[in-house]
């Protein structure tokens, strides 16, 4: 239960980010990019993120999606999730 609550509150906390794996992205017919990120030690949780989206109840916002990485920001802090 603790990990589930942490994911809901801040899916990109240091504990969660340590297990995050960027799996890739798709571009829809409207041009909207969505990225897939797996989190959790066993990759059991999947986040589907779109540009400009606020993540969970956190302050993290997706600011860039490209073939190599997803960039998220909260205030002046950035985190880059690289393709693995």
């Amino acid at each position: 239960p603790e990990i589930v609550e942490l994911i809901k509150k801040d899916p990109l906390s240091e504990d969660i980010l340590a297990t995050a794996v960027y799996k890739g992205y798709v571009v829809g017919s409207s041009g909207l990019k969505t990225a897939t990120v797996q989190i959790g030690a066993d990759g059991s949780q999947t986040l589907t993120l779109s540009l400009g989206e606020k993540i969970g109840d956190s302050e993290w916002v997706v600011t860039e999606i490209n073939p190599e990485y997803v960039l998220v920001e909260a205030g002046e802090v950035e985190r880059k999730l690289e393709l693995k």
Side-chain angles (χ1 to χ4, degrees):
E2 289 180 26
I3 192 80
V4 171
E5 289 305 313
L6 181 57
I7 289 169
K8 286 180 183 175
K9 182 175 179 192
D10 186 358
L12 296 180
S13 70
E14 292 300 327
D15 291 341
I16 301 300
L17 188 62
T19 66
V21 178
Y22 171 44
K23 302 304 279 184
Y25 76 100
V26 296
V27 180
S29 60
S30 65
L32 178 68
K33 290 181 183 177
T34 56
T36 302
V37 176
Q38 289 181 331
I39 55 177
D42 58 358
S44 62
Q45 299 287 327
T46 300
L47 299 175
T48 302
L49 309 172
S50 57
L51 197 59
E53 180 179 1
K54 189 174 178 183
I55 304 170
D57 295 333
S58 73
E59 295 302 313
W60 293 105
V61 176
V62 179
T63 57
E64 186 176 346
I65 297 173
N66 71 49
E68 289 84 34
Y69 61 87
V70 173
L71 188 65
V72 295
E73 296 180 4
E76 295 184 16
V77 178
E78 291 183 345
R79 292 190 181 161
K80 185 186 284 188
L81 305 175
E82 297 190 45
L83 185 67
K84 293 184 181 178

